[in-house]
Amino acid sequence: MGQILWKVLSLEGIVGLVSFLLCAVPFLIFACFGKNSSTPLCFWAGDNSLKDKVTDLTQYNQRMAKVYGRCAAAFLIDAAVWLVAREAAMLLLGAECTVGFYVVYRAYKKILSDCSRRD
């Protein structure tokens, strides 16, 4: 317990922990407040084309909120891992920012396909 406390109280421990938490916050906001939004949750910043594409807004926003909630959870898990094994946390972060981004993108495309009109 003392070793974990020492890691947290070091400057690099605090900076790393705060960094992971700051990464999780935007995803938590999308997950908590986006599911009941009157506009579609966008995947790409500034994407205004979703208003014309999404037909089932409620289902789309609920499913996207779950995706964003999982992203937030991944960063929170990283924060917890950072406290005990910094190398493992950095490996997890690398995996989330590469493979994880691809998985989230595929989930977004599936949700968009399911909740959009067929042209």
Side-chain angles (χ1 to χ4, degrees), residues 16-27 75:
L17 187 63
V18 168
S19 298
F20 283 120
L21 295 177
L22 285 175
C23 288
V25 166
F27 293 110
F75 282 113

Side-chain angles (χ1 to χ4, degrees), residues 14-105:
I14 293 170
V15 169
L17 187 63
V18 168
S19 298
F20 283 120
L21 295 177
L22 285 175
C23 288
V25 166
F27 293 110
L28 282 173
I29 291 170
F30 275 130
C32 292
F33 299 110
K35 62 184 167 191
N36 298 321
S37 177
S38 61
T39 59
L41 286 172
C42 60
F43 181 74
W44 301 107
D47 184 6
N48 295 324
S49 67
L50 290 177
K51 292 179 184 178
D52 299 329
K53 293 179 185 175
V54 175
T55 54
D56 189 355
L57 181 65
T58 304
Q59 181 185 14
Y60 174 82
N61 279 347
Q62 287 177 350
R63 289 175 66 185
M64 284 301 293
K66 285 182 184 178
V67 169
Y68 284 129
R70 290 183 186 125
C71 292
F75 282 113
L76 293 174
I77 289 169
D78 277 346
V81 172
W82 177 259
L83 298 177
V84 291
R86 298 212 170 122
E87 294 82 12
M90 295 309 294
L91 287 173
L92 282 174
L93 179 64
E96 289 164 12
C97 291
T98 54
V99 176
F101 180 78
Y102 178 73
V103 169
V104 169
Y105 175 73

